[in-house]
Amino acid sequence: MNHVDTTLYLVTNSDGFSEAEFLETIVQACEGSVTLVQLREKERFGREYYELAVKAKAVTDRFGVPLIIDDRVDIALAVDAAGVHLGQTDLPIAAARRIMGPGKIIGATAKTVPQALHAESEGADYLGVGAIYPTTTKVVTVLTPVATLSEIAQTVKIPVIAIGGLNAGNLDVLYGSGADGIAVVTAIMNSANPKQAAQELRRLTEMTL
Amino acid sequence: MNHVDTTLYLVTNSDGFSEAEFLETIVQACEGSVTLVQLREKERFGREYYELAVKAKAVTDRFGVPLIIDDRVDIALAVDAAGVHLGQTDLPIAAARRIMGPGKIIGATAKTVPQALHAESEGADYLGVGAIYPTTTKVVTVLTPVATLSEIAQTVKIPVIAIGGLNAGNLDVLYGSGADGIAVVTAIMNSANPKQAAQELRRLTEMTL
């Protein structure tokens, strides 16, 4: 299992940003002490995704923050990212582990205890669990209750990250849940001041978890 | 440069097939002596694409026919396919070569001489050039004339494969063009007798090229 600081995980979404604005938002999030950044681009072709990943990696490297690529193991390898995040419809974790080797971070999405146990057994290094609240960045049909997150956190040994609609005003729901960190998109990406938003979320997360 | 027999290249399209029918069509195409098979799935998520690739590879392995995966280098690596085919919007060839190593086949699409030279310089092992004719399996806005294909074939050292709307009734247009093979989707996939269609195309291609 690869160690990863999951305290405050920025998941990006470049929709509606110019490239310069998008990269600047990642800069500010890193200045605000996010501990992990995921590039998540669902609509881009491979080449565009790769080219944006090269630029995002240049930013996160400046801050020593690990960059995770959503879905595309090949792009993660091509830009020498820290790892990949795999949802239930992405490449199986075991297949990704075979081609990435033992040293790369593989994160997985889990909404239930069986999914969590399966992901851990296949070699995942952390789990994203949610959506805790409804979110505007993804179509979510079923929310994952905090009770399920707690059960997952008690069941697996790898870090569990709460995701889905979390912000400074509602993350207290995770108090005592056993979550090891939170992942956010909108609360940082769409903040008027991403650095300050990240700082505040980091402070609250450390207080709460 | 990796050697590959490009005489008759089946590019698959599973739309409208059950999985069993789809795999059986590949079996028949291999029985009919296609020399190369490409799995091209534009609509599937990574996991589905991977699972289909595992099954397609089991078929092509039985016949000793190399399997090429369209677009997804990670899936090509995960199923240990012979290689990958990259279009202009896919991962750059040089990036794919870095992560695949020297022994895997990398094919590229080229519609112009500059694209062809660039692909060759980046390490492509063959080029797909077209569309020669309008095709029903892809939205093609500009056709590539046979004259351009000839110019490409005279310019690069790697094999050049004609693609786009080719069938037994029209591939004579390639006579004297310098093409090293043809790639087809519909002419085999949608034939009432894929084995016979492949045999006929193989015979005609060897006579014509």
Side-chain angles (χ1 to χ4, degrees):
Chain A
M1 177 183 137
N2 297 297
H3 175 74
V4 51
D5 183 346
T6 57
T7 308
L8 180 56
Y9 193 177
L10 172 66
V11 179
T12 66
N13 180 359
S14 69
D15 293 356
F17 288 84
S18 72
E19 186 178 281
E21 287 168 347
F22 176 68
L23 294 171
E24 176 58 24
T25 304
I26 301 177
V27 167
Q28 290 189 37
C30 289
E31 287 174 349
S33 301
V34 298
T35 60
L36 199 58
V37 171
Q38 178 186 139
L39 194 65
R40 180 164 73 182
E41 297 293 328
K42 292 295 188 196
E43 305 302 328
R44 288 180 192 257
F45 288 115
R47 183 158 309 188
E48 288 180 338
Y49 197 171
Y50 167 76
E51 286 166 355
L52 190 64
V54 168
K55 290 169 187 165
K57 175 97 175 352
V59 171
T60 54
D61 278 358
R62 273 169 50 201
F63 293 93
V65 173
L67 179 71
I68 305 292
I69 303 294
D70 182 59
D71 177 9
R72 294 284 301 249
V73 174
D74 44 5
I75 292 171
L77 289 171
V79 305
D80 193 25
V84 73
H85 186 90
L86 300 172
Q88 296 289 327
T89 59
D90 299 330
L91 215 53
I93 295 163
R97 180 60 76 199
R98 275 202 308 279
I99 62 179
M100 298 192 88
K104 294 289 188 186
I105 297 165
I106 299 182
T109 300
K111 294 175 182 298
T112 64
V113 171
Q115 284 180 358
L117 283 169
H118 183 68
E120 184 179 46
S121 74
E122 278 200 306
D125 294 304
Y126 74 79
L127 298 176
V129 176
I132 304 300
Y133 290 104
T135 157
T136 54
T137 54
K138 212 171 173 180
V139 178
V140 177
T141 48
V142 182
L143 298 183
T144 300
V146 174
T148 302
L149 181 147
S150 288
E151 204 183 339
I152 290 172
Q154 283 161 28
T155 309
V156 299
K157 292 185 185 65
I158 55 180
V160 169
I161 306 170
I163 187 166
L166 292 163
N167 59 51
N170 67 17
L171 65 82
D172 57 346
V173 72
L174 300 172
Y175 181 74
S177 68
D180 299 283
I182 68 163
V184 300
V185 185
T186 309
I188 292 178
M189 295 304 294
N190 296 86
S191 165
N193 188 331
K195 177 179 173 179
Q196 200 179 312
Q199 285 173 327
E200 175 73 353
L201 285 165
R202 174 95 190 237
R203 190 179 67 77
L204 288 170
T205 302
E206 289 183 351
M207 273 173 51
T208 308
L209 303 185
Chain B
M1 177 182 136
N2 298 297
H3 175 73
V4 50
D5 183 345
T6 57
T7 309
L8 181 55
Y9 192 178
L10 171 65
V11 179
T12 65
N13 180 359
S14 70
D15 293 355
F17 288 84
S18 72
E19 186 178 280
E21 287 168 349
F22 176 69
L23 294 171
E24 176 58 24
T25 305
I26 301 177
V27 167
Q28 290 188 35
C30 289
E31 287 174 349
S33 301
V34 298
T35 60
L36 199 58
V37 171
Q38 178 186 138
L39 194 66
R40 181 164 72 182
E41 297 294 328
K42 292 295 187 194
E43 305 301 328
R44 287 179 192 261
F45 288 115
R47 182 159 309 188
E48 288 180 340
Y49 197 172
Y50 167 78
E51 286 167 355
L52 191 64
V54 169
K55 291 170 187 165
K57 175 96 175 353
V59 170
T60 54
D61 277 358
R62 273 169 50 199
F63 293 92
V65 173
L67 180 71
I68 305 292
I69 303 294
D70 182 57
D71 177 10
R72 294 284 302 247
V73 174
D74 44 5
I75 293 172
L77 290 171
V79 306
D80 193 25
V84 73
H85 185 89
L86 300 172
Q88 295 289 327
T89 60
D90 298 330
L91 215 53
I93 296 163
R97 181 59 76 200
R98 275 202 309 278
I99 61 180
M100 299 191 88
K104 293 289 187 186
I105 297 164
I106 299 181
T109 300
K111 294 174 181 298
T112 64
V113 172
Q115 283 180 358
L117 284 168
H118 182 69
E120 185 179 45
S121 74
E122 279 201 304
D125 294 303
Y126 74 80
L127 297 176
V129 176
I132 304 301
Y133 291 104
T135 157
T136 55
T137 54
K138 212 170 172 180
V139 177
V140 177
T141 48
V142 182
L143 298 183
T144 300
V146 173
T148 301
L149 181 146
S150 288
E151 206 185 336
I152 290 172
Q154 283 161 31
T155 309
V156 299
K157 292 186 183 69
I158 54 180
V160 169
I161 307 170
I163 187 166
L166 292 163
N167 59 52
N170 66 18
L171 66 82
D172 57 347
V173 73
L174 299 173
Y175 180 73
S177 67
D180 298 283
I182 68 163
V184 300
V185 184
T186 309
I188 292 177
M189 294 305 293
N190 297 86
S191 165
N193 189 331
K195 177 179 173 178
Q196 200 179 311
Q199 284 173 327
E200 175 73 351
L201 286 165
R202 172 97 191 233
R203 189 180 66 78
L204 288 169
T205 302
E206 288 182 351
M207 274 174 49
T208 307
L209 304 185

